[in-house]
Amino acid sequence: MDTIQSDSYPIFFDDSLSELITFIKQGKYSRTFVLTDENTSAQCLPVLEPLLAELDNYDLIEINAGEESKNIDFCVGVWKMLIDFGADRKALMVNLGGGVVTDLGGFVASTYKRGIDFVQVPTTLLSQVDASVGGKTGVDMDGIKNIIGTFTQPKAVFMSAAFLKTLPERQILSGLAEMLKHGLICDADYWKELKNSDLSLPSVELIYRSVEIKNAVVIEDPQEKSIRKALNFGHTIGHAVETNSILNDERPLTHGEAIAIGMICEAWLSHKKAGLPKEHLHEISTVLNGLYPKYPVPDTCHNVLYELMQKDKKNTEKQINCTLLTKIGCFSIDNICTEDELCASLRYYAAL
Amino acid sequence: MDTIQSDSYPIFFDDSLSELITFIKQGKYSRTFVLTDENTSAQCLPVLEPLLAELDNYDLIEINAGEESKNIDFCVGVWKMLIDFGADRKALMVNLGGGVVTDLGGFVASTYKRGIDFVQVPTTLLSQVDASVGGKTGVDMDGIKNIIGTFTQPKAVFMSAAFLKTLPERQILSGLAEMLKHGLICDADYWKELKNSDLSLPSVELIYRSVEIKNAVVIEDPQEKSIRKALNFGHTIGHAVETNSILNDERPLTHGEAIAIGMICEAWLSHKKAGLPKEHLHEISTVLNGLYPKYPVPDTCHNVLYELMQKDKKNTEKQINCTLLTKIGCFSIDNICTEDELCASLRYYAAL
Ligand SMILES: NC(=O)c1ccc[n+]([C@@H]2O[C@H](COP(=O)([O-])OP(=O)(O)OC[C@H]3O[C@@H](n4cnc5c(N)ncnc54)[C@H](O)[C@@H]3O)[C@@H](O)[C@H]2O)c1
Ligand SMILES: NC(=O)c1ccc[n+]([C@@H]2O[C@H](COP(=O)([O-])OP(=O)(O)OC[C@H]3O[C@@H](n4cnc5c(N)ncnc54)[C@H](O)[C@@H]3O)[C@@H](O)[C@H]2O)c1
Ligand SMILES: [Zn+2]
Ligand SMILES: [Zn+2]
């Protein structure tokens, strides 16, 4: 399987973990820091450690697992560890984990001494097909996702299916939502292929295609001025549902579960406003509703969800902009949706 | 006086405050935030307010004055204010203040929603001739200056001599040290001119020349890989003296006072290691020692100062790299200095 070339950096698939060690050795870094969370320390570090042993030295930094750790306090913790270890400008940070570790680690590295090198080793399906490609780094604040961050490219990304073996099924499904999204916005054949596959552990070939799609989009529009907005399909409503769930539920939705809800709602908006044929809407709702557990979004929470959408960083001047589909495989950006339309789409989902 | 063009943005001198208002109006920003500290709220905002009144709306955010405010906690405070105000990606931040406000404001803006536009309105001599040009943003942590930050260019810089009228003499002298440095590293004639001027309130022409020099250097080397290191003259030792003073003195040294000490020490190192003629060394020590108050650097603090230099971000792998002078007006980068040499230079200063 070929290495995918992104803007300024390679994304390795074949033999990627030995490529990682080669990369570190050739980079002549003064020091290597491996950032993990509790779970990736336990599950993923053992996969990497025999290879890391080839290095002269490396240091481990661990954060707590979960979205609640993706905040500025944990950044301060990691920055201070780097200071204590005496990390200089030629240090390297290896982010070994899901999107929380790759986003936070990328932000910390991009701001430590005004930027040190970092590489991403995504260990969840979601971070492989989405978070580790595109150069967005960041953390949450005041319940707003990714509100503080930078656009900074890693020096390389290393994809390994080995990590997915220990990943809980719910996390597989979470990443799958983004893969389905890639099909819906850009590639009807890929959508069809996914729909007909065994999705309990997606094949490397399917992952590869998702990375190709995401990469092609972000290369064309690194700063999210235009077509990169395609990737927001399902995310205007999905992000609000996710944030609300994190704030209120004992066992919050995963990102993918929330985005699946968002995609159903936004498919309905697509049908109403952007010409998505009725059969396509039905196909999308049926597939997504079949894969993901049903989640209550009663009318009483529409208010809160709408406020969260307004606070969302994608919306300028309080207007809610959605990316919609014109048909399966084709998107349309910057569709202004009213509060009434958004609430109606939530009702469509609730009534399925 | 011409507008100086930096890499991607203009630096206005003539009529700069009305240029600022024109810039804001033409930028079609969703909202304008003016960041100040207590002193610039009191002394500088009144200068700007009659002009700001032309805008539809703007909001004020104030931080405490002084280097102690240049930390991540104040960033969090400003980020949260932006969130509370509902600032979107098309908001503008106007940093009205000295280097603390322009550095911290630049960092906050460059990371809020992965970067919103900001402009610098430097109100101290130091920030006019140094901090506001070059795209370095940042804050301090654990007593280490500027350890967290980004390289991000402002959209424009607006220089106005009007602000300097309320600036305490000690702050004028602080900025003057950087102007003298510009002469020493790049322009012997400018050094001579400065030396023979009334320096209690440097003329706009002299400020203009300093900005020209700094700008030329940073344009050639935006990421500080090579010749930008010229600007570090006096700063290896100066920064350590400054940090130590901040940690220990009731009334700490200003940046310029510390850098003046650093320049004397590094001029001595230049004489020992880089061929700076003896008469040049004497001229430099005499001028700087005459302008700045004497500060004690006893042998007992050499240890601490050396440790601070090692922690300094410019030094990779613990070696201390200094920028030195080969003669007045010419520099040489990457001179490795030993602990003994550095301590000897501090003794030279102490014995003056
Ligand atoms: N930067 C981007 O472009 C981008 C894109 C999409 C999502 N994201 C971000 O990614 C985050 C979500 O990513 P995520 O779902 O990977 O979250 P995550 O990092 O929290 O990982 C999910 C859970 O799986 C555990 N885990 C990780 N790898 C494992 C493995 N191999 N075996 C067993 N357990 C493992 C983690 O410890 C965690 O408990 C969100 O914060 C989201 O904002 C960023
Ligand atoms: N980014 C860069 O390239 C760069 C370069 C040099 C220095 N710096 C940074 O700049 C900072 C020092 O700058 P500074 O000396 O301007 O510090 P400062 O911002 O603390 O200003 C000094 C004092 O003067 C007050 N003040 C500001 N303008 C005034 C005015 N017009 N009238 C009366 N009082 C006024 C301030 O409130 C403060 O008390 C340091 O943090 C340093 O690291 C950055
Ligand atoms: Zn997503
Ligand atoms: Zn300086």
Side-chain angles (χ1 to χ4, degrees), chain A residues 70 95 99 102-111 118 120 131 134-139 146-154 228 313, chain B residues 111 113-114:
Chain A
K70 200 176 141 184
N95 299 317
T102 56
D103 276 14
L104 182 145
F107 178 63
V108 166
S110 73
T111 51
F118 65 99
Q120 307 293 39
K136 284 187 180 180
T137 78
V139 296
N146 307 320
I147 183 97
I148 309 303
T150 62
F151 281 106
T152 315
Q153 304 297 343
R228 187 168 181 160
K313 68 190 168 312
Chain B
T111 51
K113 303 206 174 193
R114 299 202 183 91

Side-chain angles (χ1 to χ4, degrees), chain A residues 157-338:
Chain A
V157 180
F158 303 88
M159 302 282 183
S160 170
F163 299 122
L164 301 184
K165 288 178 199 147
T166 55
L167 199 63
E169 198 201 324
R170 209 177 155 211
Q171 296 298 339
I172 296 282
L173 272 169
S174 181
L176 188 60
E178 301 289 354
M179 299 173 74
L180 292 160
K181 181 192 77 181
H182 292 145
L184 288 173
I185 56 174
C186 283
D187 187 343
D189 288 341
Y190 180 54
W191 160 261
K192 203 182 287 170
E193 198 182 340
L194 282 169
K195 207 168 56 123
N196 299 324
S197 302
D198 166 21
L199 293 175
S200 63
L201 192 66
S203 69
V204 191
E205 287 72 25
L206 289 174
I207 294 173
Y208 188 88
R209 177 70 191 128
S210 255
V211 173
E212 263 187 339
I213 293 175
K214 165 117 198 218
N215 187 49
V217 170
V218 299
I219 280 184
E220 206 170 319
D221 177 22
Q223 299 277 321
E224 195 165 341
K225 307 255 182 237
S226 58
I227 88 143
R228 187 168 181 160
K229 293 183 185 168
L231 300 171
N232 290 338
F233 176 64
H235 281 62
T236 303
I237 294 177
H239 261 165
V241 171
E242 183 182 12
T243 304
N244 191 48
S245 169
I246 289 168
L247 292 174
N248 296 298
D249 298 342
E250 210 168 301
R251 188 164 172 274
L253 290 174
T254 63
H255 181 66
E257 285 163 353
I259 272 25
I261 297 169
M263 288 194 285
I264 294 174
C265 296
E266 295 177 27
W268 183 86
L269 289 167
S270 301
H271 172 59
K272 290 290 166 199
K273 297 174 62 89
L276 181 76
K278 195 166 198 145
E279 322 80 74
H280 290 203
L281 168 62
H282 284 166
E283 185 178 322
I284 295 169
S285 325
T286 312
V287 171
L288 294 175
N289 210 34
L291 277 168
Y292 294 90
K294 204 60 198 271
Y295 179 79
V297 272
D299 284 23
T300 46
C301 71
H302 288 185
N303 249 338
V304 177
L305 293 177
Y306 184 68
E307 263 175 41
L308 287 169
M309 290 178 224
Q310 285 186 310
K311 275 200 187 175
D312 194 286
K313 68 190 168 312
K314 286 183 297 298
N315 300 302
T316 54
E317 290 160 32
K318 303 266 162 182
Q319 275 178 344
I320 310 293
N321 270 309
C322 289
T323 298
L324 301 178
L325 304 177
T326 56
K327 59 181 182 182
I328 288 176
C330 293
F331 64 89
S332 140
I333 64 169
D334 285 336
N335 296 279
I336 296 175
C337 296
T338 66

Side-chain angles (χ1 to χ4, degrees), chain A residues 72 79-80 88 111-114 136-137 141-142 146-150 311 313 315-317, chain B residues 72 79-80 88-89 111-114 136-137 141-142 146-150 311 313 315-317:
Chain A
I72 202 77
W79 281 321
K80 292 197 173 191
D88 65 26
T111 51
Y112 182 72
K113 302 204 174 194
R114 300 204 183 90
K136 284 187 180 180
T137 78
M141 188 175 285
D142 277 359
N146 307 320
I147 183 97
I148 309 303
T150 62
K311 275 200 187 175
K313 68 190 168 312
N315 300 302
T316 54
E317 290 160 32
Chain B
I72 201 76
W79 280 321
K80 292 197 173 193
D88 65 26
R89 278 194 186 164
T111 51
Y112 182 72
K113 303 206 174 193
R114 299 202 183 91
K136 285 188 179 179
T137 78
M141 187 175 284
D142 277 1
N146 307 321
I147 183 97
I148 309 303
T150 62
K311 278 201 185 173
K313 67 188 168 315
N315 301 302
T316 56
E317 292 161 29

Side-chain angles (χ1 to χ4, degrees), chain B residues 156-168:
Chain B
V157 180
F158 302 88
M159 301 282 183
S160 171
F163 298 123
L164 301 184
K165 288 178 201 150
T166 54
L167 199 63

